[in-house]
């Protein structure tokens, strides 16, 4: 890319049929492609173009568009300001297949837009992608409205513009065009609205889901590097594709072998006579780029690279990775890997096992994602051992293209997937992950194991909490919870009924439940009566200990009474060695078959799905575990922990999600200009710049004046108005009334002089700050930071010296809905001071929530801001006061908007 454009203006998109396309500003070298695109238009197409395109020859139009982004000449429609013109292009398989531009209307913040896509690609969503990309760039450059002049009756173009979701679009009839045709002018704002954002994300989800479906449901597969050597990756992948009975042809490719496993081998993928949908590449790392080029020439749709020697192999390996990524993107192929284990689709209509891992997982309803190729084999082995059936499995390795975000988009609409489990080593685009996971988790639980415990864990917990992702700490916990959620309903609450044949085990189960935050409540009279045996002898209270020799009939009767009661939300059955242990297991399975509440077991120390607790299936490809199966846990502790996490997820799902509220008093251009003018050396900005940045999102800092002498302090107090506060400027002592660094309620000059001496005696020399006295309120601290792995984090805690030492802030990742903000305010330690109670009046929590929303908006719209510290924020009755605010910017060379989600290919930045 040329240097005149921001790096984040180059992005990936996905067409409606799943094909990837590159979107970027037009480059100096795009002239031939633009001329070819223009020359390929029909006369009817040309008649629909605006005059500035239609009246230029292909070569003239190409020259015009390749200079877009430079100042316009006096004869052009735009003005001479920077950003007066911009053109963007769409590139598919190395060909320029679409373009759009805008030109500002002189003296206006509006611009005229033109759009064209190759005729063969219309109807695949390309025009909408190009338009959205241009709109985003125009919005960033201050264009407020785009104007499209269309030919009367051009319904196709009108559909594209209206499909972008601009509910406020204004359509005006115009007079005859120069060619005698009537015209229609469409005017719409570039500002995003909830409707445009929702439409864009719905289109994104469908397109990305289809692109993953292309990888998981191929009609034909080729294995490049298929080998006759057992144990090699190419040999094992090919043999497993054959052994899985894949419903389609599998072609081995090996230049030195005539046949692999008695199947004719082709020396080159380009010599395969049939179309190839999916290619698995298992050649040595230096040969992968040539293999990708060959696949591009063969028009392969998707790639899985299992070869190693890339990101983990130092500078040379990273250069190979960049080259392979670039080639795949330019050729329009989705890429899994390198260093990937591969993919599995257990659908009986597909039967795809494109990995070199041993073992075939059962057919089921769990989607599994493993970033680590090495760990993927453990995933498959453990799923088979525990009889946890998988719908699909994806191992992405280096994650150069396909990421967890893409696979989540697929699983959202996949009818064969009900539960999702993820092993993550890092994030590509954490904000997108949070947005997708939050949406998916409303219908399908998402369980995540994140490798590498570190100091960043609070940030990661904030991300998972915001997204409703269930975090686990070990592989065992991951499979424990997946087995529970795949086979049993979510609990309606946290109350557990315990039924067993051992008093010692029942006591352990009760302690484990309470430790995990569950309740083991006493039974009501009605339940106790139902539990009494035929002779009228009451059973023990919860937990129910039936004794080591309880009959299966008595065991089942007690289970049914507990499961039918209104006193509990889940049942934990404890089964120890017993002469009729199989009958006890059948009793548990029979009670669980009702599906009213989750029933789990600790069955003889087994974990997973013992055959005695598994409901039998009777058809080929039967889902495992079948409905009515009961998961077993090796110990009561693991059962209680899984139930507690399931209950927490159920509570999250039952809460209203909320919405990101609309905000008034916004002037984001003011905030961006101030950020552009500030130093990027990590120092706190001047209060003037801070005021402009925060003022851009409608936040005002309480007046203050820095002073260095007592005389300056006296002058400042006169200007600000008595009474005033005097405090040391050093941030280490901000708000420290306890050490004398802050003096309040100073009403006259003599008191000011005394306050000056007191502070000097307490903390020594240093600049000071004078402020008018603020209304009383509860002291809080609000902070926004750009976490390098997670993205923007918003945190809240009480203020003051004690809180500084004892209280960890409550943090959330973006986006922040109105529900999130309310939960943050009510969830911090000491929240009673804000919400009231026990004789304490309530503070203006709505005003504090508004501060959180405005700071979140700043993080989204001005990503150059690295940190904002509001300390303290006084929450009054009513209103809030921002007594102090500090802002720092990201260092030079950091692309704040895209850094957490960047994937690099040959110097061009792409986003997933």
């Amino acid at each position: 890319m040329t240097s005149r454009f921001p790096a984040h203006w180059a992005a990936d998109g996905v067409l409606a049929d799943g094909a990837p396309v590159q979107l970027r500003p037009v480059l100096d070298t795009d002239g031939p492609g633009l001329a070819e695109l223009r020359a390929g238009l029909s006369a009817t197409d040309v008649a629909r173009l605006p005059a500035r395109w239609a009246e230029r020859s292909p070569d003239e139009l190409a020259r015009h568009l390749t200079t877009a982004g430079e100042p316009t000449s006096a004869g052009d429609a735009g003005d001479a300001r920077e950003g007066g013109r911009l053109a963007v292009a769409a590139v598919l398989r190395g060909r320029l297949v679409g373009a759009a531009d805008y030109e500002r209307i002189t003296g206006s913040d509006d611009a005229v837009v033109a759009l064209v896509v190759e005729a063969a690609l219309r109807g695949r969503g390309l025009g909408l992608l190009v338009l959205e990309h241009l709109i985003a760039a125009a919005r960033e450059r201050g264009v407020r409205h785009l104007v499209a002049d269309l030919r009367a009756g051009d319904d196709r173009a009108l559909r594209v513009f209206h499909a972008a979701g601009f509910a406020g679009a204004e359509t005006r009839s115009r007079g005859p065009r120069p060619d005698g045709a009537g015209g229609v002018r469409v005017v719409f704002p570039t500002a995003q609205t909830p409707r445009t954002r929702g439409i864009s994300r719905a289109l994104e989800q469908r397109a990305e889901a289809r692109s993953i479906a292309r990888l998981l449901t191929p009609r034909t597969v080729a294995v490049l590097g298929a080998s006759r050597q057992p144990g090699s990756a190419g040999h094992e992948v090919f043999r497993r594709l054959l052994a899985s009975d894949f419903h389609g042809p599998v072609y081995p490719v090996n230049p030195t072998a005539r046949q692999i496993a008695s199947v004719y081998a082709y020396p080159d993928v380009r010599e395969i006579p049939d179309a190839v949908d999916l290619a698995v590449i298992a050649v040595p790392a230096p040969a992968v780029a040539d293999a990708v080029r060959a696949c591009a020439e063969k028009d392969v749709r998707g790639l899985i690279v299992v070869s190693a020697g890339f990101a983990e192999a130092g500078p040379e390996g990273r250069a190979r990775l960049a080259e392979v990524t670039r080639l795949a993107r330019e050729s329009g192929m989705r890429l899994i890997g390198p260093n990937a284990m591969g993919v599995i689709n257990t659908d009986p209509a597909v039967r795809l096992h494109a990995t070199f891992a041993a073992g075939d997982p059962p057919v089921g309803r769990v989607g599994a994602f493993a970033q680590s190729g090495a760990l993927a084999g453990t995933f498959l082995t453990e799923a088979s051992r525990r009889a946890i059936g998988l719908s699909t499995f994806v191992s992405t390795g280096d994650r150069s293209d396909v990421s967890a975000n893409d696979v989540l988009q697929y699983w959202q609409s996949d009818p064969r997937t009900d539960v999702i489990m993820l092993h993550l080593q890092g994030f590509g685009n954490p904000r997108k992950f949070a947005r997708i996971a939050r949406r998916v988790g409303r219908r399908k639980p998402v369980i995540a194991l994140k490798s590498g415990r570190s100091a960043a864990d609070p940030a990661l917990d904030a991300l998972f909490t915001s997204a409703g992702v269930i975090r686990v700490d070990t592989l065992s916990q991951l499979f424990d919870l997946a087995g529970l959620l795949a086979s049993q309903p979510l609990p309606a609450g946290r109350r557990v009924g315990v039924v067993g044949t051992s008093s010692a085990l029942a006591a352990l189960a009760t302690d484990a439940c309470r430790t995990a935050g569950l309740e083991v409540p006493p039974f009501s009279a009605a339940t106790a009566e139902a539990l009494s045996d035929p002779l009228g002898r009451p059973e023990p209270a919860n937990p129910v200990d039936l004794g080591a020799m309880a009959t299966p009939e008595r065991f089942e009767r007690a289970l049914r009474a507990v499961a039918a009661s209104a006193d509990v939300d889940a049942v934990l059955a404890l089964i120890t060695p017993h002469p009729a242990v199989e009958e006890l297991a059948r009793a548990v399975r029979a009670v669980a078959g009702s599906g009213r509440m989750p029933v789990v077991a600790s069955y003889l120390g087994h974990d997973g799905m013992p055959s005695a607790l598994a409901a039998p299936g009777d058809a080929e490809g039967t889902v495992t575990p079948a409905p009515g199966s009961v998961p077993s846990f090796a110990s009561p502790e693991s059962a209680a922990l899984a139930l507690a996490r399931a209950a927490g997820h159920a509570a999250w799902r039952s809460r209203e999600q909320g919405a990101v509220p609309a905000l008034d008093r916004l002037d984001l251009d003011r905030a961006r200009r101030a950020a552009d003018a500030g130093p990027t050396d990590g120092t706190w900005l001047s209060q003037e710049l801070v005021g402009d940045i925060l003022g851009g999102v409608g936040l005002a800092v309480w007046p203050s004046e820095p002073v260095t002498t007592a005389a300056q302090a006296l002058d400042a107090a006169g200007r600000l108005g008595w009474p005033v506060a005097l405090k040391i400027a050093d941030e280490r002592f901000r708000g420290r009334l306890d050490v004398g660094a802050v003096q309040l309620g100073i009403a006259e000059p003599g008191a000011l002089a005394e306050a000056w001496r007191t502070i000097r005696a307490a903390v020594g020399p240093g600049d000071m700050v004078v402020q008018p006295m603020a209304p009383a309120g509860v002291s809080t601290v609000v902070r926004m930071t750009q976490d390098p792995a997670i993205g923007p984090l918003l945190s809240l805690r009480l203020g003051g010296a004690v809180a500084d030492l004892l209280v960890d802030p409550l943090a959330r990742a973006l986006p922040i809905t109105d529900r999130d903000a309310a939960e943050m305010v009510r969830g911090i330690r000491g929240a009673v001071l804000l919400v009231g109670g026990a004789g304490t009046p309530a503070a203006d929590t709505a005003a504090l929530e508004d501060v959180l929303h405005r700071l979140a908006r700043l993080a989204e719209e001005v990503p150059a801001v690295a940190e904002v510290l509001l300390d303290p924020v006084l929450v009054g009755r009513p209103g809030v006061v921002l007594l102090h605010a500090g802002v720092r910017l990201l260092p030079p060379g950091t692309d704040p908007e895209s850094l957490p989600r960047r994937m690099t290919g040959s110097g061009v930045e792409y986003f997933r």
Side-chain angles (χ1 to χ4, degrees):
M1 282 181 63
T2 58
S3 60
R4 67 177 186 265
F5 300 118
H8 64 271
W9 283 6
D12 281 347
V14 183
L15 300 183
D17 60 359
V21 62
Q22 293 175 277
L23 301 164
R24 55 166 174 75
V26 165
L27 307 180
D28 301 335
T29 55
D30 283 332
L34 290 165
E36 182 180 354
L37 178 66
R38 167 67 173 81
L41 298 178
S42 67
T44 302
D45 290 334
V46 173
R48 292 190 174 104
L49 295 176
R52 71 174 191 277
W53 280 33
E55 294 173 1
R56 287 183 165 101
S57 70
D59 289 337
E60 290 171 340
L61 179 61
R63 284 193 296 272
H64 178 70
L65 294 180
T66 53
T67 59
E70 300 174 355
T72 57
S73 65
D76 285 328
D79 60 26
R81 292 178 290 173
E82 180 186 6
R85 297 171 51 209
L86 181 70
V88 299
V91 180
L92 177 65
R93 294 189 176 273
R95 292 180 50 251
L96 198 151
V97 293
D101 81 334
Y102 73 73
E103 294 192 0
R104 281 189 189 259
I105 298 171
T106 304
S108 167
D109 287 332
D110 297 348
V112 179
V113 63
L115 167 70
V116 67
V117 298
E118 189 177 277
L121 293 172
R122 292 169 190 163
R124 296 171 62 182
L126 178 59
L128 184 55
L129 279 176
V130 176
L131 180 61
E132 286 186 335
H133 200 66
L134 183 69
I135 289 168
R139 180 170 58 246
E140 188 171 321
R141 285 199 164 186
V143 176
R144 298 187 181 277
H145 296 87
L146 288 180
V147 177
D149 289 325
L150 308 177
R151 183 178 183 178
D154 190 356
D155 294 336
R156 184 182 65 207
L158 275 173
R159 283 195 299 271
V160 171
F161 284 101
H162 287 303
F166 294 92
E170 175 187 355
T171 305
R172 308 173 188 162
S173 298
R174 305 186 69 218
R177 288 161 43 116
D179 58 6
V184 174
R185 167 163 284 189
V186 178
V187 182
F188 51 87
T190 60
Q192 281 194 321
T193 66
R195 180 170 182 267
T196 60
R197 191 178 292 112
I199 289 175
S200 176
R201 289 174 178 173
L203 293 170
E204 171 195 74
Q205 188 276 325
R206 288 196 293 271
E208 291 182 0
R210 285 172 182 156
S211 75
I212 300 303
R214 286 157 56 114
L215 293 166
L216 293 172
T217 57
R219 293 164 298 181
T220 55
V221 180
V223 181
L224 283 68
S227 169
R228 302 178 67 176
Q229 181 63 43
S232 67
H235 178 88
E236 300 302 328
V237 169
F238 183 68
R239 292 298 296 262
R240 281 167 177 72
L241 279 164
L242 296 181
S244 68
D245 193 24
F246 171 65
H247 284 204
V250 182
Y251 299 103
V253 177
N254 187 315
T256 62
R258 295 283 302 274
Q259 56 81 27
I260 306 292
S262 300
V263 178
Y264 177 80
Y266 291 85
D268 191 297
V269 68
R270 289 164 289 200
E271 296 185 22
I272 296 174
D274 296 330
V276 175
D277 292 332
L278 176 67
V280 182
I281 298 178
V283 301
V288 170
D290 286 339
V292 173
R293 291 187 184 93
C295 289
E297 292 182 31
K298 180 61 180 174
D299 202 24
V300 173
R301 287 186 168 193
L303 303 174
I304 299 172
V305 178
V306 301
S307 311
F310 291 87
E312 81 286 6
E316 184 178 358
R318 289 191 291 273
R320 289 193 197 109
L321 178 62
E323 175 72 358
V324 167
T325 304
R326 180 186 65 81
L327 290 170
R329 283 203 170 88
E330 289 181 353
S331 303
M333 296 180 287
R334 295 306 307 263
L335 168 64
I336 291 177
N339 274 308
M341 181 67 79
V343 303
I344 294 174
N345 186 349
T346 64
D347 186 347
V350 180
R351 297 185 184 276
L352 175 71
H353 188 138
T355 85
F356 55 89
D360 292 303
V363 180
R365 308 197 67 81
V366 178
F369 175 91
Q371 190 170 321
S372 165
L375 189 62
T378 304
F379 255 61
L380 300 181
T381 301
E382 192 70 358
S384 297
R385 185 183 74 80
R386 292 180 179 239
I388 294 178
L390 303 185
S391 60
T392 41
F393 168 81
V394 178
S395 161
T396 57
D398 287 344
R399 198 166 42 91
S400 59
D401 175 21
V402 171
S403 71
N405 291 345
D406 298 291
V407 186
L408 282 172
Q409 298 274 44
Y410 169 78
W411 280 326
Q412 176 185 331
S413 52
D414 177 31
R416 298 184 60 248
T417 300
D418 292 334
V419 178
I420 296 164
M421 61 178 184
L422 310 173
H423 170 257
L424 303 171
Q425 292 175 289
F427 295 93
N429 181 340
R431 277 175 278 185
K432 185 173 179 179
F433 173 84
R435 168 168 54 84
I436 297 171
R438 184 192 294 242
R439 185 177 66 233
V440 175
R442 290 287 163 181
R443 295 190 299 114
K444 303 179 180 184
V446 179
I447 318 164
L449 171 63
K450 172 67 172 63
S451 293
R453 287 280 177 178
S454 70
D457 267 13
L460 189 64
D461 285 337
L463 175 67
F464 285 161
T465 299
S466 298
V469 173
I470 313 169
R471 184 177 188 180
V472 296
D473 301 314
T474 66
L475 268 175
S476 181
Q477 292 174 10
L478 181 70
F479 282 91
D480 281 346
L481 190 54
L484 167 60
L485 296 176
S487 59
Q488 292 292 311
L490 288 172
R494 306 187 74 86
R495 303 169 303 165
V496 181
V498 179
V499 180
T501 56
S502 163
S503 59
L505 202 59
L508 287 175
T510 301
D511 291 343
C513 286
R514 290 170 178 160
T515 299
L518 300 171
E519 302 173 45
V520 184
F523 290 130
S524 64
T527 304
E529 181 179 353
L531 279 167
S532 62
D533 69 16
L535 298 177
R537 293 174 300 195
E539 300 288 4
N542 197 9
V544 180
D545 174 23
L546 300 173
M549 301 306 294
T551 65
E553 294 77 17
R554 187 180 178 198
F555 190 71
E556 181 172 349
R557 186 169 62 250
L559 282 173
R560 289 193 181 279
V562 173
S565 77
D567 302 329
V568 299
D569 306 301
V571 178
L572 171 56
L574 307 172
I575 303 177
T576 53
H578 188 282
V581 68
E582 292 286 336
E583 287 81 356
L584 297 182
R586 282 196 291 271
V588 174
R589 198 177 66 209
V591 173
S594 67
R596 176 178 171 270
M597 66 175 63
V599 176
V600 301
S602 182
Y603 175 77
L604 302 176
H606 292 296
D607 58 5
M609 194 66 60
S611 58
L613 295 176
D618 56 4
E620 180 185 12
T622 294
V623 168
T624 304
S629 298
V630 179
S632 176
F633 296 85
S635 69
E637 291 83 1
S638 56
L641 186 58
L643 278 172
R645 285 176 167 143
H649 179 70
W652 174 83
R653 188 184 287 194
S654 67
R655 292 194 296 264
E656 290 187 11
Q657 185 174 0
V660 177
L663 300 175
D664 58 1
R665 309 192 318 275
L666 296 180
D667 186 355
L668 296 171
D669 288 339
R670 175 188 176 191
R672 295 187 184 106
R673 287 192 300 269
D676 290 341
T680 56
D681 57 2
T683 59
W684 295 106
L685 301 186
S686 69
Q687 287 304 297
E688 180 181 1
L689 289 176
V690 169
D692 285 340
I693 289 174
L694 296 181
V697 290
L699 294 174
V701 183
W702 195 249
S704 67
E705 288 196 26
V707 296
T708 58
T709 68
Q712 290 177 353
L714 183 61
D715 291 341
R719 285 189 297 273
L720 294 171
W722 304 91
V724 297
L726 182 66
K727 57 188 73 175
I728 196 75
D730 190 331
E731 63 186 73
R732 296 175 299 170
F733 299 105
R734 184 180 301 128
R736 294 299 302 273
L737 288 148
D738 57 320
V739 298
V742 177
Q743 299 294 313
L744 303 177
I746 304 168
E748 46 85 22
L752 181 63
E754 179 62 26
W756 184 276
R757 290 190 292 270
T758 300
I759 294 175
R760 281 281 182 259
V763 296
D767 293 348
M768 297 201 200
V769 174
V770 179
Q771 290 184 293
M773 283 297 295
V778 179
S779 177
T780 62
V781 178
V782 182
R783 188 182 185 201
M784 187 283 291
T785 56
Q786 289 276 0
D787 186 273
I790 304 303
L793 287 176
L794 202 61
S795 67
L796 172 68
R797 63 174 175 84
L798 290 180
V802 175
D804 289 345
L805 296 173
L806 300 180
V807 179
D808 293 327
L810 182 62
R812 291 288 182 269
L814 271 55
I816 302 293
T817 68
D818 48 9
R819 180 76 189 197
D820 295 328
E823 289 182 353
M824 287 181 71
V825 171
R826 287 153 182 78
I828 62 172
R829 296 181 186 178
V832 65
L833 298 176
L834 292 168
V835 301
T840 303
D844 192 347
T845 56
L848 180 57
E849 292 167 21
D850 183 67
V851 172
L852 295 173
H853 289 304
R854 293 182 185 278
L855 209 53
R857 186 65 178 270
L858 178 67
E860 290 281 12
E861 300 289 349
V862 192
V865 173
E867 180 179 7
V868 177
L869 178 62
L870 307 181
D871 180 14
V873 177
L874 298 181
V875 188
R877 304 175 181 88
V880 295
V881 172
L882 279 58
L883 271 186
H884 176 83
V887 176
R888 289 196 280 213
L889 302 177
L890 286 167
T894 304
D895 181 0
E897 174 65 18
S898 59
L899 181 60
R901 53 182 170 174
R902 176 180 294 167
M903 292 175 292
T904 305
S906 188
V908 180
E909 306 303 332
Y910 301 94
F911 315 97
R912 179 60 53 208

